Amino acid sequence: MKRIYVENFGPVQKAELELRDINLLIGEQSVGKSTLAKLITILTDYTCLGLIMCGEYPYWLRKLEEYGLDIYKDNNYIIKYDLDENSTYFHFEIFKNKIDAYVIKNGERSTNRDDIGKELLSMKPFYHDEIFDKVKNLLSSPADNNDIGKAIELMYSSLYIPAERIIYSVVSRLMPALTLAKSTVPKNLLRFMVDLENAKATYPQLEMPLLDISYIKENSDDYFVINTTKQKYLLSSASSGIQSTLPLLLVLKYAIEKKEYSSFVVEEPECNLFPEKQVELLKHIILLVKSEDRTLTITTHSPYLLSALNNYLFAGTLVAKYGSKINPFIANVLPLEQILKPNECSVYSLGEDINGKGVYCKSLLNENTGMIDFNSLDGISEKMGDEFARLKNAYIHMKHQK
């Protein structure tokens, strides 16, 4: 169980979310989706929380700055995170200038920061072998504590894929200059650029059936080849949909195959894609990420992703009701690996414009059906249908006037 509570932090008025295997946040612009996504990235990172316990409030401020959230550091905010996993219960609570935390393991409670930090760092095994070896070497020999801290910080267990990824196909050659100017570029964006460059070096040629293209890296240039025509172009001349999706797919593949993460946060995967491709991308991401002990959080504006996710939940309710004998019928519609049980998924809408006055964050899952509430799915089309009906009535009225 993972639960996050955020109050009065930037655009986030008051939100309480239970994080499950798959989480989707939907809402209009500027309602706080990215803010919550970044907080989720920080709070679901075992390494980060362990270091916060050691570094106290100053390290928390460093993490806020890394994600560009330090602009809200003077808000009178409350942030809470509860983690119940593997017979260990962890509670983290932060106010302005203050952190409270405790851990309960095998019935014993401790508020000692070192105990909490060690417990968090031991809850998830590290698979960053090269970095882990470096840390072990530093620990076994005289070294500056700052060097050890920097090495440990590289062992992130949460991956954040920003909506700004579309710019990287254009600015990849500027990486050295951006590194020099890192004081003005959020660290999380630079980190994504490093992961992207590593992914390109690891997969200099990669088929991408989802986009109907192939990716090719030659020297310092990135190209894509259209599968149908075999024509080759610079990536910087690609459509905005390709420029947004290709970095996402490259980094996800690299992260899953070459590193180990316990949390994936993807901002607006649907950027600049046709609705059908949006749904295909969602399926692809779920198939890549879905596995034991991993959390996927997606922020979106797209009702198509909401509808697609509901289909996976519907398939899950059918399996729960009829058992595996219905699997052959479901397999004709979607891969069985995409089936989601209701307790595997959380869906929240953000913003009073969607939820009603005084309600900032609202779960869209119907407790009785385990699926997304029908009114939430149909709200936009219902509004369009109402406008069409009124225009039709105006047409009939004018017609009868003749």
Side-chain angles (χ1 to χ4, degrees):
M1 184 276 291
K2 302 180 182 76
R3 187 176 293 275
I4 290 177
Y5 176 87
V6 181
E7 182 177 338
N8 196 35
F9 189 80
V12 181
Q13 300 169 17
K14 187 176 182 180
E16 186 170 0
L17 307 93
E18 181 177 347
L19 296 182
R20 297 175 178 172
D21 295 345
I22 310 292
N23 308 282
L24 190 143
L25 309 178
I26 190 168
E28 296 182 2
Q29 293 82 359
S30 304
V31 296
K33 296 189 303 300
S34 293
T35 300
L36 275 175
K38 291 171 182 176
L39 287 176
I40 288 170
T41 306
I42 296 171
L43 295 171
T44 57
D45 192 317
Y46 295 85
T47 309
C48 175
L49 285 179
L51 292 172
I52 288 173
M53 290 302 96
C54 299
E56 295 281 348
Y57 192 77
Y59 189 82
W60 167 255
L61 292 181
R62 281 179 57 191
K63 297 309 291 185
L64 292 184
E65 183 179 3
E66 178 178 328
Y67 286 89
L69 297 176
D70 53 315
I71 57 175
Y72 307 129
K73 69 179 187 298
D74 293 326
N75 290 172
N76 191 26
Y77 62 85
I78 301 172
I79 296 174
K80 301 177 184 179
Y81 179 59
D82 291 284
L83 170 64
D84 192 353
E85 193 171 287
N86 301 329
S87 74
T88 302
Y89 179 82
F90 168 75
H91 176 78
F92 171 84
E93 191 167 336
I94 185 163
F95 307 84
K96 184 180 176 182
N97 301 320
K98 183 181 178 183
I99 291 177
D100 287 328
Y102 62 83
V103 63
I104 300 175
K105 185 174 178 64
N106 299 323
E108 295 186 8
R109 172 172 168 155
S110 175
T111 57
N112 181 277
R113 291 289 196 267
D114 289 338
D115 290 344
I116 297 172
K118 290 175 182 177
E119 200 60 53
L120 284 164
L121 291 170
S122 68
M123 288 181 73
K124 182 71 178 177
F126 294 116
Y127 295 91
H128 308 277
D129 294 333
E130 295 179 5
I131 299 170
F132 194 57
D133 288 340
K134 180 178 180 181
V135 174
K136 287 194 294 185
N137 291 334
L138 287 170
L139 290 173
S140 62
S141 61
D144 190 299
N145 287 334
N146 287 332
D147 290 337
I148 297 173
K150 289 176 182 177
I152 292 175
E153 282 192 47
L154 293 174
M155 297 190 293
Y156 294 97
S157 58
S158 290
L159 174 66
Y160 176 74
I161 300 181
E164 298 94 331
R165 60 188 175 272
I166 190 170
I167 69 171
Y168 296 131
S169 60
V170 179
V171 302
S172 59
R173 291 186 177 186
L174 302 178
M175 183 66 181
L178 288 172
T179 302
L180 290 173
K182 61 183 178 181
S183 60
T184 58
V185 180
K187 187 177 177 182
N188 71 288
L189 301 184
L190 288 173
R191 190 176 119 206
F192 179 80
M193 288 193 71
V194 170
D195 274 342
L196 180 57
E197 290 303 310
N198 289 336
K200 290 177 179 180
T202 305
Y203 311 110
Q205 294 188 12
L206 186 65
E207 290 287 330
M208 293 190 167
L210 179 73
L211 298 173
D212 300 317
I213 65 168
S214 301
Y215 166 74
I216 297 176
K217 181 178 179 62
E218 292 181 357
N219 299 319
S220 60
D221 291 318
D222 299 313
Y223 298 90
F224 70 100
V225 176
I226 300 174
N227 290 342
T228 53
T229 64
K230 305 303 179 184
Q231 291 178 298
K232 179 180 173 183
Y233 302 96
L234 280 169
L235 182 59
S236 57
S237 66
S239 68
S240 56
I242 290 176
Q243 291 192 36
S244 173
T245 309
L246 189 145
L248 186 159
L249 295 177
L250 271 171
V251 170
L252 265 184
K253 181 177 175 64
Y254 172 75
I256 290 169
E257 293 187 358
K258 303 298 179 181
K259 292 187 176 183
E260 175 69 14
Y261 289 92
S262 59
S263 174
F264 294 81
V265 178
V266 183
E267 280 199 289
E268 301 172 21
E270 76 277 4
C271 281
N272 308 300
L273 290 178
F274 189 72
E276 184 178 347
K277 286 295 182 184
Q278 293 181 25
V279 174
E280 287 182 28
L281 179 58
L282 177 66
K283 291 179 181 178
H284 184 77
I285 294 173
I286 289 177
L287 287 175
L288 275 177
V289 173
K290 189 182 177 187
S291 67
E292 189 176 358
D293 294 333
R294 276 182 169 153
T295 300
L296 169 66
T297 301
I298 290 174
T299 70
T300 184
H301 299 122
S302 174
Y304 301 107
L305 299 194
L306 208 62
S307 296
L309 197 65
N310 199 50
N311 290 343
Y312 311 153
L313 288 168
F314 188 20
T317 60
L318 291 175
V319 171
K321 185 173 183 178
Y322 298 107
S324 59
K325 62 184 179 182
I326 200 173
N327 283 357
F329 298 96
I330 293 176
N332 289 328
V333 181
L334 52 84
L336 297 178
E337 294 86 353
Q338 288 173 352
I339 292 175
L340 293 175
K341 300 174 184 176
N343 61 359
E344 291 181 319
C345 187
S346 291
V347 182
Y348 293 94
S349 65
L350 305 178
E352 291 184 334
D353 288 345
I354 295 178
N355 300 323
K357 188 172 178 59
V359 182
Y360 171 80
C361 180
K362 177 182 176 183
S363 173
L364 300 185
L365 289 182
N366 186 299
E367 293 183 2
N368 296 321
T369 65
M371 296 167 58
I372 297 172
D373 184 73
F374 177 79
N375 290 330
S376 302
L377 281 174
D378 206 43
I380 296 176
S381 58
E382 183 179 341
K383 181 179 179 180
M384 297 300 101
D386 178 64
E387 290 178 354
F388 182 85
R390 290 163 65 185
L391 290 171
K392 184 178 178 182
N393 288 338
Y395 164 73
I396 293 172
H397 174 76
M398 294 303 297
K399 186 177 181 181
H400 285 302
Q401 288 293 317
K402 294 180 181 180

